[in-house]
Amino acid sequence: MIRFRRGGRGLGAGRRAAAIGFLAWLAVGAGAAQERAPEGSGPATELRLAELVAALAAGDEAARLEAVFGLSALGGEAASALADAGLFDSSPAVREEAIAALGEVADGTHLATLDTALLDEARGVREAAVWALAEIGGEDTAWILALALTDEDSDLREQAVHALGEIGGASAVQVLERALADDSAAVRRAAVETLAELAAVRSGGESRPAGR
């Protein structure tokens, strides 16, 4: 099976600064936040969550990116803040990283957010949504990815085909069959190969679950 991968875009200056800032927090700030947090609250404290949400609202782009990285480290409890950033932040880079982070925390309660992100004007955000849906997996995500198969960018449609192959299951097969009529030969070829691979799994007696 061809493994789906998020596109290899390098970090720009803003993202590098954000990543450096977040790593610095991991080294120093986490301990300080833990000391201020109520006893027994653990590393993913409500205090840290509130700080990061505030940074999303008031910081510059680099600070907002750092906040997204921090929220992704908090896991599922930060999903709502990530979803808001993924839909409403003015920066395409912040929206992209926030949408990708929803896939990293594997939070399936925000599928509507990822559905909307597939219509974002920024290609990187749409690609991040495809990646996140592949990471979360499940029958519902396969139907959402049907929207990605209508994207104007043929490369992104091909990525959606591979994402559907990662998800697997009957719904993914039904959606993949739509890609057999795609205008792009590359997308059609990817759909044929992915359907054949999924059929081989089924005929081999293996049960490939929908999802990861």
Side-chain angles (χ1 to χ4, degrees), residues 7-79:
R9 294 178 303 280
L11 290 176
R15 294 188 196 179
R16 284 195 298 271
I20 291 169
F22 178 56
L23 290 173
W25 176 79
L26 285 177
V28 178
Q34 180 68 22
E35 290 176 2
R36 297 196 304 272
E39 184 177 355
S41 63
T45 63
E46 292 184 6
L47 173 61
R48 183 56 180 166
L49 178 60
E51 290 173 344
L52 292 169
V53 170
L56 276 177
D60 59 15
E61 182 184 65
R64 298 199 308 276
L65 279 168
E66 181 180 340
V68 167
F69 293 141
L71 287 167
S72 66
L74 296 184
E77 67 185 86

Side-chain angles (χ1 to χ4, degrees), residues 97-140:
E97 296 301 335
I99 291 298
L102 283 179
E104 292 167 2
V105 301
D107 191 290
T109 64
H110 291 278
L111 294 182
T113 297
L114 299 177
D115 190 11
T116 301
L118 288 173
L119 298 173
D120 197 282
E121 62 183 12
R123 183 195 184 282
V125 177
R126 302 197 304 274
E127 181 183 4
V130 170
W131 181 87
L133 288 164
E135 287 292 295
I136 292 171
E139 295 286 325
D140 290 341

Side-chain angles (χ1 to χ4, degrees), residues 145-207:
L145 278 168
L147 179 59
L149 292 179
T150 67
D151 196 275
E152 63 184 10
D153 189 311
S154 63
D155 288 340
L156 193 143
R157 296 199 304 275
E158 185 175 353
Q159 290 187 43
V161 166
H162 294 309
L164 286 162
E166 287 295 298
I167 292 170
S171 296
V173 169
Q174 292 181 56
V175 176
L176 280 166
E177 288 173 347
R178 304 181 187 183
L180 296 174
D182 196 275
D183 292 338
S184 165
V187 175
R188 295 195 302 272
R189 181 170 58 251
V192 168
E193 293 174 351
T194 302
L195 284 166
E197 290 167 346
L198 292 176
V201 170
R202 293 195 303 274
S203 64
E206 297 179 28
S207 173

